[in-house]
Amino acid sequence: MRAARLIRMALLIQSNPGLTAAALARELEISERTVIRDAQALREAGVPVRSERGRVGGYFLAAGYRTRLTTLHPSEAETLFLSGLPSALQDLGLSDVAESARLKLTATLLPSVRQAAESSVRRFHLDAPAWFRESATPELLPELARAVWADRAVQLSYARPSRDGARSSAVARVVEPYGLVLKAGTWYAVARIPGEREDHDGGWRTYRVDRITALGPAPGAEEPFVRDPSFELAVHWEARSVAFARTLLCTTVTIRLTGRGLRRLPAVVDGAAVADALASASAPDPAGLVTLDLPTESEDVAFDQLARLGADAEVLAPACLRARFRERAAALAALYQAYPREAEPEEGEDQR
């Protein structure tokens, strides 16, 4: 355990020169006294670690010194080679670069570790898109990815969908692209609009890349934009995804579920809606039925979702939705009653 910790400490200092003892202690989950002892152990092992005092002090490695990747554990190499999505790299135009990097990394590994890394590639493949949908790479994605890498502001034209079924409207604006996200086979760009950083959402916008119809350098933007140092793409995306999902839940349906229906609810309803519904759930009645208020996008969406639960879900309100289920049930009963019931085999007959 200590050997692995020493290696990690050396790598942390190498990638972040000037880390203090307190910062290393938090990262390694040890005490500052242990950090000092480990630094001495690294020096005794030949790793040129030095510490400097003062306001800009911390731990450093000697200039030009680099640790070697041959210290990778086989399990670490296996995980490393699984850390990328081949399809995503291809969409971004980086598949050749990634393959070159993989070959260079493989060449630096010990034979035993190299075998473990190559074994993981043969056993695991990550396929991001959902079933039953064609996944097309947006034409402008590689160009947008280059702008993200270079922190280059762009001017884009975006086909904004209309909610009333009318033709989509096109908007043009200058944005600072901060990152790209692949969600269920669809690419999204997270960007910030210059000059709108003081509005209610900080100027942040999310665009579906396949709806971007034109893309070019922002007029007059010859230098890279200055990124917000506090921005973290994963944290931003998670928060905005939850907030966006909740804005769609503008209708409430009261339902009564069996135990089986309650267990199946997360499979047919959005996660945010399930969390809110469970918070409103009553205690089970003597028959084991639970009543709850389910947030949903609309009555049409609720009808399609709850129909998948069959008799395990009963709509109590609104009355118009309950009437729709009553009509559906009557139509199904009439459909199946219209055909003669198949004669069941008598006792002693071959029932195969």
Side-chain angles (χ1 to χ4, degrees):
M1 290 292 292
R2 190 189 184 203
R5 189 178 73 232
L6 290 174
I7 292 171
R8 188 180 176 199
M9 180 175 174
L11 291 172
L12 284 170
I13 297 173
Q14 176 177 293
S15 58
N16 300 280
L19 282 176
T20 64
L24 286 168
R26 287 193 301 270
E27 191 69 31
L28 298 170
E29 298 182 349
I30 56 178
S31 66
E32 293 186 35
R33 181 171 296 181
T34 302
V35 169
I36 296 173
R37 289 198 297 266
D38 284 355
Q40 179 60 34
L42 285 172
R43 284 190 287 268
E44 293 173 355
V47 179
V49 178
R50 75 176 193 276
S51 61
E52 296 183 4
R53 297 179 179 274
R55 185 173 59 86
V56 293
Y59 283 92
F60 300 84
L61 295 179
Y65 180 85
R66 306 289 293 178
T67 60
R68 294 181 179 273
L69 283 173
T70 50
T71 55
L72 279 176
H73 188 274
S75 62
E76 295 172 331
E78 291 169 353
T79 305
L80 181 62
F81 274 71
L82 286 176
S83 61
L85 290 171
S87 59
L89 293 173
Q90 184 175 1
D91 289 350
L92 293 170
L94 299 174
S95 55
D96 291 342
V97 177
E99 177 63 16
S100 175
R102 187 184 69 83
L103 291 174
K104 290 179 180 179
L105 176 59
T106 301
T108 67
L109 300 176
L110 292 172
S112 59
V113 181
R114 186 184 309 133
Q115 183 179 4
E118 293 173 348
S119 176
S120 68
V121 176
R122 295 191 188 100
R123 287 171 169 79
F124 299 96
H125 174 70
L126 304 178
D127 187 9
W131 287 103
F132 310 118
R133 59 180 296 182
E134 295 184 3
S135 180
T137 302
E139 180 180 353
L140 297 174
L141 178 61
E143 183 179 351
L144 183 58
R146 288 191 289 272
V148 171
W149 279 113
D151 293 337
R152 177 167 54 86
V154 298
Q155 179 171 289
L156 57 82
S157 295
Y158 187 74
R160 184 163 50 193
S162 176
R163 295 186 177 181
D164 58 5
R167 191 172 183 179
S168 60
S169 58
V171 296
R173 58 181 37 149
V174 171
V175 301
E176 298 169 345
Y178 267 67
L180 292 166
V181 177
L182 179 62
K183 171 72 171 180
T186 301
W187 283 99
Y188 296 88
V190 176
R192 203 172 196 180
I193 301 178
E196 295 189 15
R197 299 190 176 190
E198 304 303 323
D199 66 5
H200 69 283
D201 59 2
W204 295 106
R205 300 291 187 275
T206 301
Y207 302 96
R208 274 187 57 153
V209 179
D210 59 2
R211 291 178 181 159
I212 297 176
T213 58
L215 183 70
E222 299 179 357
E223 298 295 329
F225 65 84
V226 179
R227 292 176 66 93
D228 182 348
S230 66
F231 176 80
E232 294 185 25
L233 181 58
V235 175
H236 174 91
W237 178 260
E238 181 177 1
R240 291 302 176 101
S241 296
V242 172
F244 176 73
R246 291 190 183 279
T247 62
L248 299 177
L249 306 177
C250 53
T251 300
T252 300
V253 176
T254 302
I255 58 176
R256 184 157 49 212
L257 299 174
T258 64
R260 183 170 179 269
L262 192 63
R263 292 191 299 271
R264 292 181 57 203
L265 189 64
V268 300
V269 176
D270 177 76
V274 172
D276 291 350
L278 293 180
S280 71
S282 67
D285 64 14
L289 303 178
V290 174
T291 300
L292 49 81
D293 293 325
L294 176 68
T296 184
E297 295 179 44
S298 65
E299 290 185 12
D300 289 338
V301 171
F303 183 79
D304 291 337
Q305 291 176 336
L306 296 176
R308 304 177 204 171
L309 298 179
D312 289 313
E314 179 188 0
V315 173
L316 303 180
C320 53
L321 182 59
R322 181 177 175 87
R324 287 181 64 179
F325 273 99
R326 186 186 304 115
E327 293 172 1
R328 168 67 67 85
L332 287 172
L335 174 65
Y336 286 99
Q337 288 176 358
Y339 294 92
R341 187 174 182 181
E342 295 181 1
E344 296 186 3
E346 298 181 359
E347 185 176 354
E349 291 186 359
D350 187 354
Q351 299 184 20
R352 287 180 297 175

